[in-house]
């Protein structure tokens, strides 16, 4: 005779084991503070402008791990959650930085032993001849064990149009290790969203093992200007009176041109502005300079960019950056 759910619950209550120690106090705040996770989250806020949905998801994952830790402390049976992730978005949106902070959080909460980040691409995992791929992939996994393996442009692992490609072998090894070592390794696959969607559709086994999909949005022009000011401040520079408006104009123009890479493009633009500033100061070294001159980026250091003529700087190495 099959027992009903009600009768099973009644039997468990009568046995007393179902309610044993359920009123025992649990101090999540203490567990959270002991792991110093807030320090990492605060660092993430300082390092990255915007990305509110991304930061919210990282906090949710941290909360899950804190609760899992508390469950273990009170003797509750718990399986290690699957924390393999997918980071999608265009270049320069902070994916690598978030992966680094995620590895720290995982380590502080005892999910992984070391908390280091190992970055890999297809070339690090896939061999060019029979018998070459397995040792390459296992070597990268060995380096990442106890931390996070960040695979950038992961969709290049799958090339169905090439029958002699060994990317599928690397994926199979990754799947096996992701499942068997989920309590000591987190794998993060990263790349453009549209290509990653196709990648997961082509690999059902892989898609089922990636529980956390996080999309990194492009930065707005205002956010990119704030990023530029953070970069300048970190390197002891500042915008002159008209330079801030000139750089905002630069951002708006650059966002419309090919190969725009969000914060990465902004850092490159700042580096070129510094070169122009240095050249300007060098050409006027005969007159007296002040410390203020050395730290100030003027509007002319920005408007000299070919971006103001609709060109992408650095695209043609034969042309000067100015």
């Amino acid at each position: 005779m099959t027992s009903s759910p009600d009768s099973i619950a009644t039997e468990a209550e009568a046995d007393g084991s179902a309610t044993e120690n359920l009123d025992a106090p649990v101090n999540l705040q203490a567990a959270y503070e002991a792991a110093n996770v807030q320090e990492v989250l605060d660092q993430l806020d300082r390092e990255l402008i915007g990305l509110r949905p991304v930061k919210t998801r990282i906090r949710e994952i941290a909360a899950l791990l804190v609760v899992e830790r508390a469950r273990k402390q009170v003797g509750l049976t718990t399986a290690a959650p699957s924390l393999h992730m997918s980071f999608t978005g265009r270049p320069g949106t902070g994916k690598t930085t978030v992966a680094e902070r995620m590895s720290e959080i995982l380590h502080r909460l005892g999910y992984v032993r070391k908390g280091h980040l190992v970055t890999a691409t297809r070339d690090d995992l896939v061999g060019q001849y029979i018998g070459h791929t397995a040792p390459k992939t296992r070597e990268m996994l060995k380096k990442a064990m106890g931390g996070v393996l960040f695979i950038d442009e992961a969709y290049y692992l799958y090339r169905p149009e090439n029958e002699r490609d060994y990317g599928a072998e690397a994926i199979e090894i990754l799947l096996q290790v992701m499942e068997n070592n989920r309590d000591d390794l987190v794998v993060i696959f990263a790349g453009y969203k549209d290509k990653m969607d196709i990648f997961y559709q082509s690999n059902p086994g892989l898609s089922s093992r990636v529980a956390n999909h996080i999309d990194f949005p492009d930065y707005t022009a205002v956010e990119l200007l704030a990023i530029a000011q953070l970069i300048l401040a970190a390197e002891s520079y500042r915008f002159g009176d008209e330079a801030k408006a000139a750089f905002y104009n630069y951002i708006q123009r650059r966002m419309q041109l090919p190969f725009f890479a969000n914060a990465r493009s902004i850092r490159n633009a700042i580096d070129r502005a510094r070169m122009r500033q240095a050249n300007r100061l060098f050409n006027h070294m005969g007159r007296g300079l002040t410390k203020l001159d050395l730290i100030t980026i003027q509007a002319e250091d920005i408007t000299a960019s070919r971006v103001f003529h609709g060109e992408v700087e650095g695209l043609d190495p034969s042309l000067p950056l100015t």
Side-chain angles (χ1 to χ4, degrees), residues 213-235:
H213 292 257
I214 304 176
D215 188 42
F216 287 64
D218 286 336
Y219 289 107
T220 65
V222 172
E223 289 172 335
L224 290 169
L225 180 60
I227 289 171
Q229 291 178 288
L230 282 179
I231 294 172
L232 286 174
E235 298 173 348

Side-chain angles (χ1 to χ4, degrees), residues 40 44 58 61 65 85 87 95-118 144 146-150 186 188:
V40 182
L44 196 61
I58 297 304
I61 293 172
L65 293 175
M85 305 178 195
F87 287 1
K95 296 188 292 295
T96 303
T97 299
V98 171
E100 290 172 347
R101 299 297 157 255
M102 192 70 244
S103 65
E104 291 183 46
I105 291 172
L106 293 170
H107 177 56
R108 294 188 183 208
L109 289 170
Y111 190 85
V112 293
R113 289 175 292 113
K114 300 178 182 178
H116 63 302
L117 179 74
V118 174
V148 172
L149 177 61
F150 181 83
V186 168
I188 300 177

Side-chain angles (χ1 to χ4, degrees), residues 16 28 34 51 56 80 101 108 120 178 210 214 235 240 255 264:
L28 284 181
L51 297 180
T56 297
R101 299 297 157 255
R108 294 188 183 208
M178 286 167 63
V210 178
I214 304 176
E235 298 173 348
M255 292 175 73
R264 195 175 303 166

Side-chain angles (χ1 to χ4, degrees), residues 119-127 133 135-140:
T119 301
T121 63
R122 173 189 165 88
D123 289 342
D124 298 307
L125 300 167
V126 182
T133 294
K136 287 189 72 171
T137 302
R138 294 192 187 282
E139 179 62 25
M140 291 304 299

Side-chain angles (χ1 to χ4, degrees), residues 16-17 28 36 45 76 91 106 108 114 128 130 145 149 170 174 176 188 190 228 231 242 261 270 278 280-281 300 307:
S17 60
L28 284 181
N36 289 324
D45 279 331
L76 291 173
L106 293 170
R108 294 188 183 208
K114 300 178 182 178
Q128 298 179 351
I130 294 175
M145 201 62 64
L149 177 61
L174 284 169
Q176 180 182 9
I188 300 177
I231 294 172
E242 299 177 1
I270 292 295
R280 173 173 56 80
L281 296 178
E300 62 188 287
V307 167

Side-chain angles (χ1 to χ4, degrees), residues 104 112 128-129 138 158 185 192 199 264 266 279 318:
E104 291 183 46
V112 293
Q128 298 179 351
Y129 51 83
R138 294 192 187 282
Y158 183 70
L185 175 71
Y192 289 98
F199 177 57
R264 195 175 303 166
I266 297 306
N279 189 55
S318 68

Side-chain angles (χ1 to χ4, degrees), residues 241-263:
D241 293 338
E242 299 177 1
K244 183 177 178 180
F247 197 79
Y248 186 70
N249 189 357
Y250 169 92
I251 292 171
Q252 292 177 308
R253 292 169 180 265
R254 183 65 185 88
M255 292 175 73
Q256 305 305 315
L257 297 175
F259 311 110
F260 176 64
N262 286 279

